[in-house]
Amino acid sequence: MRGGAITSDQMYRIEENGHTAIGMKRFLMMENAGHGISDFVAAKFKSLKGKKVVAVCGTGNNGGDGLVAVRHLAGYGAKTSVILLGSPSDVKSEEARLNWGIVEKMDSIEIIFGKEVSDAVRRKILSADIILDGIFGTGIKRDISDPHASAIDAINRSKAYVLAIDVPSGLDPNTGSIHDRAVRADATITFHRMKKGLATKAARKFTGPVHVERIGIPPEAERGVL
């Protein structure tokens, strides 16, 4: 299966092997993922000075990847904002909390958080030049409620360049089917390997071109999984 597409469960097990058996910790994977996102955006736009970059983040590790990316993009002179769909106390993992703590200390990043999408948040999304979709990762297996549903709707109404992190939020990573609604991305950056759902014909109108970014997971972490 070298180079083949994998399921979300296989990816979780590969990450777990990398983290526990080999010592390639998840916060290193998150840093590499976020750096890869920022490199992708910087290569796409050449100059980011003054560009309005909005990272719409959930409270899981997908949002954590977005936090790392926006930290790097702030260094390019972009006007960066983070919209956290929830409370900082809801941020789930240690590595995502670590990155939230860093972003909180950065004057160069505007931070908005809450459990509803206000008119001001909608305006922020609609006025963006570049949107990072970090709402849901590969774990979504349910219909989508607010504030996530309203955020997805606002992203889809925007004229921004939308980059989906790992998978477009709302798209099933294993089948390519849609849970209720999904982000329509201009491109998707997924990590380590292609996910099976992203490779389906049904997913194409939501993913745009898919780029696979290596995040430092050793090939040994795949043993016993693939």
Side-chain angles (χ1 to χ4, degrees), residues 72-115:
H72 283 282
L73 290 169
Y76 285 92
K79 292 182 177 177
T80 50
S81 304
V82 168
I83 297 168
L84 181 71
L85 301 175
S87 165
S89 63
D90 297 329
V91 175
K92 294 180 175 67
S93 71
E94 181 183 357
E95 52 273 18
R97 286 194 298 271
L98 183 151
N99 281 296
W100 177 259
I102 296 170
V103 165
E104 274 189 318
K105 297 177 181 69
M106 294 177 64
D107 294 337
S108 54
I109 299 176
E110 177 189 21
I111 290 176
I112 304 165
F113 61 83
K115 298 188 179 182

Side-chain angles (χ1 to χ4, degrees), residues 28-216:
L28 295 173
M29 299 178 201
M30 184 172 285
E31 182 64 28
N32 289 343
H35 194 186
I37 295 162
S38 69
D39 283 352
F40 183 94
V41 172
K44 173 75 180 175
F45 284 88
K46 311 305 180 205
S47 173
L48 288 168
K49 194 164 183 63
K51 293 274 189 196
K52 290 182 281 189
V53 178
V54 177
V56 185
C57 297
T59 55
N61 278 354
N62 196 244
D65 294 341
L67 296 175
V68 174
V70 88
R71 162 163 48 87
H72 283 282
L73 290 169
Y76 285 92
K79 292 182 177 177
T80 50
S81 304
V82 168
I83 297 168
L84 181 71
L85 301 175
S87 165
S89 63
D90 297 329
V91 175
K92 294 180 175 67
S93 71
E94 181 183 357
E95 52 273 18
R97 286 194 298 271
L98 183 151
N99 281 296
W100 177 259
I102 296 170
V103 165
E104 274 189 318
K105 297 177 181 69
M106 294 177 64
D107 294 337
S108 54
I109 299 176
E110 177 189 21
I111 290 176
I112 304 165
F113 61 83
K115 298 188 179 182
E116 63 180 42
V117 174
S118 65
D119 288 342
V121 169
R122 278 192 190 86
R123 285 194 295 271
K124 178 66 64 176
I125 292 170
L126 291 171
S127 68
D129 296 307
I130 301 161
I131 294 171
L132 304 180
D133 162 31
I135 301 173
F136 297 124
T138 58
I140 181 69
K141 291 181 175 65
R142 57 181 169 79
D143 284 347
I144 297 165
S145 56
D146 275 335
H148 310 95
S150 293
I152 289 171
D153 291 345
I155 291 169
N156 286 342
R157 282 176 51 212
S158 78
K159 292 182 169 56
Y161 177 86
V162 177
L163 179 62
I165 298 173
D166 212 10
V167 296
S169 292
L171 187 140
D172 188 301
N174 299 324
T175 67
S177 63
I178 303 307
H179 290 283
D180 182 40
R181 50 167 56 79
V183 166
R184 290 180 181 268
D186 292 288
T188 298
I189 182 167
T190 198
F191 305 115
H192 185 66
R193 280 183 184 257
M194 178 68 82
K195 309 310 180 300
K196 286 190 173 180
L198 298 178
T200 64
K201 187 175 179 181
R204 281 181 204 153
K205 64 182 178 181
F206 294 93
T207 64
V210 180
H211 169 72
V212 178
E213 179 75 13
R214 292 283 176 176
I215 56 172

